Every structure is written in structure tokens, then in C-alpha cells.
Amino acid sequence: MIVRNGLAALPGRQDFVRASLRVAGERIADIVLASDDPSGDSLAPEAGEEVVDASGLLVLPGAIDPHVHFDEPGFTQREDFLHGTMEAAKGGVTTVIDMPCTSLPPVTDLAALRNKLAAISSKAVVDYALYGGVSGRGVEASLGGGRRRAAPGAAPGAAPGAMAELAAAGVVGFKCYFISGMDTFTAVTHDDFGRILAEGERLGRPVLLHAEDLDYVTAASARLAAARGSAAPEWSDYVESRPEAAELVACASALALARGRESSLHVVHVGTAAAAELLHRGGASCETCSHYLAFSSEDFAEKGAALKTAPVVKGRGEREALWRLLADGAIDFVTSDHAPSPESEKNTGNVLTAYGGIPGTGTLFPYLLSEGLFAGRLSLSRFLDAISGAAARRYGLWARKGSLALGKDADLVLVDPSATWRVEGSKLLSKGKITPFEGMSLKGGVVATYVRGRRVFDAGVFGGDSVTHNRISDGPGIVAEPGSGKFLAWGYR
Ligand SMILES: [Zn+2]
């Protein structure tokens, strides 16, 4: 296939450059700049080779969303791998990394990983990697080693822990929580966390932390409940129970516990600018999410439960500060924390029981393209790193993912930069339809998404013939078979 005459986002360039790409099999086989080929014929199609005319379109590397909850197996009333990856593809995401904590059983050992792979491998339409998890109740089994009773005949302390087994099976990191709302995946103590980081470092995998301070949130929630008595909780109760300070305290604790292993620490979904600065100065990595860049706690008045996430969005001042830190590189990349739920769990009528999570993998790339790159908040190189490159490097996928370069997988997003569209929850391909981005106008439309050279999403602008089939009844524009997405292990090459 030849993608001809598009404006390509090539690594190391300050701006898009007119170029043609040849895709051979699953990989980028040639990149020819128009400036080096005035006649335009150095990439002549071979007999039968498909040519995609990308004139007027941007050609970008597929986005990587390294923080999704697709909930399969277990909580598939909320999301599953088919709907989650369809939504990802529609939004220009070609690789997702799924969290271990919201499927059943949670991915805390090798048997659970195999069980999950068996459940999802026939479903995905984009590529996927997985995290392992360390739940508070299973820390010793996760760590293995001296504290674990060895099998009869084995040397004392020789039993491999579940983290080691999961690392060998290809997970790209380990997730744990300082505070958790899940009975099936509980928080770790500070003592646990230092040891988990040490094991993560030994295994060469980052340890991902949900960083809100348990003591702070528990005490603040109790104080606010006592103050309101029998009155119904309001959004301010939720916001004030998990403020900026709860994130800052947790991030400071994590750094204190790291003791020289800061480079193994990654804090997920940071919504507090000072926490991100602290982590960056301390040598850890962090991500923020599109909702922390787009919304603030003042928006609950209009959006209500559609905006409820954990951590909660912060005050208005944080948004522009987070954008600046992202532009500077102090925040490494942006994720969706995609975690939808059905209306019955979301709109409970009670601030405190409404599900804390939103769909986001399909709006992540379009939002950042429109409000980051096109709005001038991010340079092209920072945009590319934030949406793809930095996550590929952090999670052991850089050899084949994360940029448009020779020999890498042909994960491509074609974008019409002149298109403007409005987010409509009812049109999401996710199982979740309730989004705080509802009604938001964004510039730049994804017209096609390719995973390893295979067209997965097609908005139809190339004409009817290019939409080969549409076999998924609720997936207009998805033109790939479920199961065509591939499992990516750490070090994928
Ligand atoms: Zn999450």
C-alpha cells in the first residue's frame, strides 16, 4: 500500500512535511519526502498495490492509550474488548494498554493473565498490551522470595513471585493503589509499596500508582458526612474529600518510599499540577488525562455524574497549569483512563454512589489534537510524544510503535485538518455513552485508522468501495475483524 502525498508527522521535524509512505506487510517500508521527489514518481505502485490519496490529509502515528479499563472478563456490562477497541480505533488509537484491576479475576498472577488473554484475544480490533497488578491482599504472593513458603524441596526463598512470572509473560508494568474502592483489588500499604518498587526495578518494569492519600480521603469524607448530617451529598462534598492535597501527599509519600528507585515509579492520572511537578523533579514519570485538561470542578454544576472520575477533576486553575507542564515535558504523556459504566450505575441520583469513571479512549486523540496541537498549546514534537512516543518508550514498545519510522509497524491515523465535529455520546462505539465531552466542538476529523497496515476504521471519505464490510452491527466504520488486534509483550519487536 502507498499512502500518497499526505502531510506526515515525522519524528524530529518542527512541522508536518509532504511525503508518501509505502507499507509492506505490516510495516513502514519507505518514506519519500515530496521535496526529494518533485516528480512524485519514486514510489510507483506495483501491480495491484493499493494507493491511498492522502492529499490534504495529515498522516500521524497511531495514538497509544496506555490507561484503559476494558473490564473483560468480569464487568462486561461496563465495557468489553470489542467495544473498547472499536472506540479506540475510531478515535485514532492503535494500541491500548489495559489495567489489571477491573477484570475478574484481577490480573495478579499468571493464571489470571492467561485467563484474560483467552477471553479477549478474539475480540480486539487494535493492538493491546497488559499490566499486571499487585493487590493489597496478595502482596507476599506477588513478591515471592524469602517471605513466601517455598515448595517442598526448593531452596528457601527461591519461589518466584507472581510479579516475576507476569513479567516473564510480557506485562509492561505493575499497577497498585494507595486508595481503592474495589473489594476485588485492594490498596497496598506504604511498607508494601517500597518493596513492590524494588521488585519492579529488579524485573525492569515500571510500577504504576494510583496516588491519593488513604488517610486524607478517609478522614475528609467522614468529616464532610458528619457536617451534612441527613442532607443529600453534593458535588462539593466529593470534590472536597479528594482535593489537590490528597494527591500531593500521596506523591510525596511515593517518592519518599522509592529511595533511589524513582525511575521505576509512574503515577497515573495526575490532576494536580504541583503533584506532577514534584514527581518530575523527583525523577518519576507521570501522566495526566484528557478530562483534567478539559474540565474543572466548577463544571459539575452543568455535567453532574457524567464528569465523575477518581481522582476528581480539580479547580479551574489546575487546567492551564497542567497544559503548561505537558508542554514542558514535566508531564510525560496523556491517557484516557477509559472506564465507562451503564446508565444505571452512572446516574444513580446520588453523588457518592454514581460510578466514578468515564469513556475516553475515543476522545483522547481528537481532543489533544484539537485543543493541544491545533490550539497552539503543544508543539508538534510534544504532541507526538504525549500521544504516542513517550508511552511507547516507557512500556517497552518503542522498537515497533510510537512514531512514523522505517521498519516500525504501519500504525497510521489519517486526519482531515479542516473538519470540525461535535462529540455525541450516542455515537460512541464504546458500551458507555455518557461522556463529559458531550457537545464539545473539535477541530480535525479522523478519516481512517490503520493498525499494522490494515485499515481498522474508515469514516468513508475514500468512497464506498474502500469500506470493505461492516460486519459489526453497532460499529459503523469499523472494517476489521474482531481478533485482528495483537497482544504486545514488553520488548515487542
Ligand atoms: Zn484507571
Side-chain angles (χ1 to χ4, degrees):
M1 176 176 76
I2 293 172
V3 180
R4 176 175 278 166
N5 205 31
L7 289 165
L10 301 178
R13 300 267 173 169
Q14 299 302 311
D15 207 345
F16 292 92
V17 285
R18 193 167 300 285
S20 296
L21 280 68
R22 168 167 272 144
V23 175
E26 298 188 335
R27 305 208 201 181
I28 299 171
D30 207 352
I31 300 173
V32 176
L33 303 186
S35 56
D36 296 337
D37 180 32
S39 64
D41 54 17
S42 76
L43 272 189
E46 292 165 8
E49 187 172 18
E50 183 186 1
V51 177
V52 174
D53 180 7
S55 303
L57 300 178
L58 307 179
V59 183
L60 292 138
I64 296 176
D65 185 353
H67 189 153
V68 301
H69 299 264
F70 287 171
D71 301 333
E72 186 166 8
F75 295 104
T76 49
Q77 82 279 13
R78 294 176 185 151
E79 188 61 297
D80 61 24
F81 252 76
L82 175 60
H83 291 84
T85 56
M86 289 197 304
E87 175 69 13
K90 181 172 167 236
V93 170
T94 53
T95 297
V96 294
I97 312 182
D98 189 63
M99 286 292 168
C101 39
T102 48
S103 49
L104 281 179
V107 183
T108 52
D109 59 31
L110 193 55
L113 178 72
R114 288 185 176 140
N115 181 61
K116 180 162 179 165
L117 284 169
I120 66 179
S121 60
S122 63
K123 313 281 174 63
V125 299
V126 304
D127 287 350
Y128 55 96
L130 299 175
Y131 299 111
V134 183
S135 171
R137 288 204 193 104
V139 172
E140 302 311 329
S142 290
L143 293 173
R147 301 267 307 267
R148 190 180 183 209
R149 192 178 301 277
M163 284 178 73
E165 292 181 343
L166 287 166
V171 301
V172 299
F174 293 94
K175 171 82 177 288
C176 48
Y177 287 71
F178 274 175
I179 181 170
S180 162
M182 296 169 287
D183 298 334
T184 50
F185 198 96
T186 59
V188 301
T189 66
H190 286 168
D191 173 52
D192 295 335
F193 187 68
R195 294 183 298 138
I196 293 163
L197 261 186
E199 181 69 349
E201 183 191 50
R202 189 182 76 80
L203 297 168
R205 300 288 193 283
V207 173
L208 288 72
L209 178 67
H210 179 127
E212 289 181 287
D213 188 69
L214 176 64
D215 178 75
Y216 194 116
V217 174
T218 306
S221 302
R223 172 174 55 79
L224 290 159
R228 75 176 171 265
S230 58
E234 297 178 7
W235 285 110
S236 59
D237 289 299
Y238 184 59
V239 171
E240 287 171 28
S241 71
R242 312 181 83 129
E244 289 84 341
E247 275 197 288
L248 256 175
V249 169
C251 290
S253 300
L255 283 173
L257 295 162
R259 289 185 300 218
R261 301 187 175 99
E262 290 81 5
S263 63
S264 293
L265 170 63
H266 176 79
V267 177
V268 295
H269 52 46
V270 175
T272 301
E277 280 181 304
L278 186 72
L279 292 164
H280 182 64
R281 279 203 309 270
S285 62
C286 72
E287 68 191 43
T288 190
C289 303
S290 28
H291 43 278
Y292 302 118
L293 296 167
F295 305 109
S296 57
S297 50
E298 290 82 356
D299 294 317
F300 276 113
E302 180 200 333
K303 298 189 178 292
L307 185 56
K308 185 179 177 185
T309 58
V312 65
V313 295
K314 302 300 190 290
R316 196 171 278 145
E318 297 297 320
R319 288 182 46 202
E320 290 307 317
L322 289 171
W323 273 115
R324 279 196 300 277
L325 292 171
L326 182 63
D328 292 349
I331 293 172
D332 295 79
F333 46 84
V334 184
T335 74
S336 73
D337 197 5
H338 180 92
S341 68
E343 170 135 36
S344 59
E345 293 183 20
K346 194 63 165 160
N347 293 333
T348 60
N350 181 318
V351 163
L352 299 183
T353 60
Y355 190 77
I358 59 173
T361 196
T363 44
L364 169 67
F365 172 85
Y367 174 75
L368 216 63
L369 181 71
S370 176
E371 302 310 300
L373 183 66
F374 292 160
R377 292 185 174 102
L378 301 178
S379 66
L380 178 60
S381 63
R382 266 311 290 153
F383 169 74
L384 294 175
D385 223 36
I387 204 70
S388 184
R393 287 193 300 275
R394 189 63 167 138
Y395 298 121
L397 304 173
W398 178 246
R400 291 279 288 274
K401 303 291 190 187
S403 65
L404 296 182
L406 289 181
K408 287 205 179 191
D409 285 352
D411 296 344
L412 312 175
V413 191
L414 272 50
V415 168
D416 178 354
S418 67
T420 299
W421 60 287
R422 245 172 231 289
V423 179
E424 291 177 68
S426 63
K427 292 187 178 168
L428 300 188
L429 303 183
S430 164
K431 282 194 165 183
K433 309 292 185 194
I434 303 170
T435 168
F437 291 89
E438 181 77 46
M440 185 179 284
S441 177
L442 296 175
K443 193 165 180 294
V446 173
V447 300
T449 304
Y450 296 81
V451 176
R452 284 176 283 110
R454 175 177 41 84
R455 192 175 302 158
V456 172
F457 169 76
D458 190 328
V461 301
F462 297 126
D465 290 348
S466 68
V467 182
T468 51
H469 61 85
N470 193 0
R471 296 182 194 175
I472 302 164
S473 59
D474 56 350
I478 296 295
V479 294
E481 294 291 342
S484 56
K486 174 159 103 173
F487 172 59
L488 310 175
W490 175 276
Y492 165 66
R493 57 180 58 248

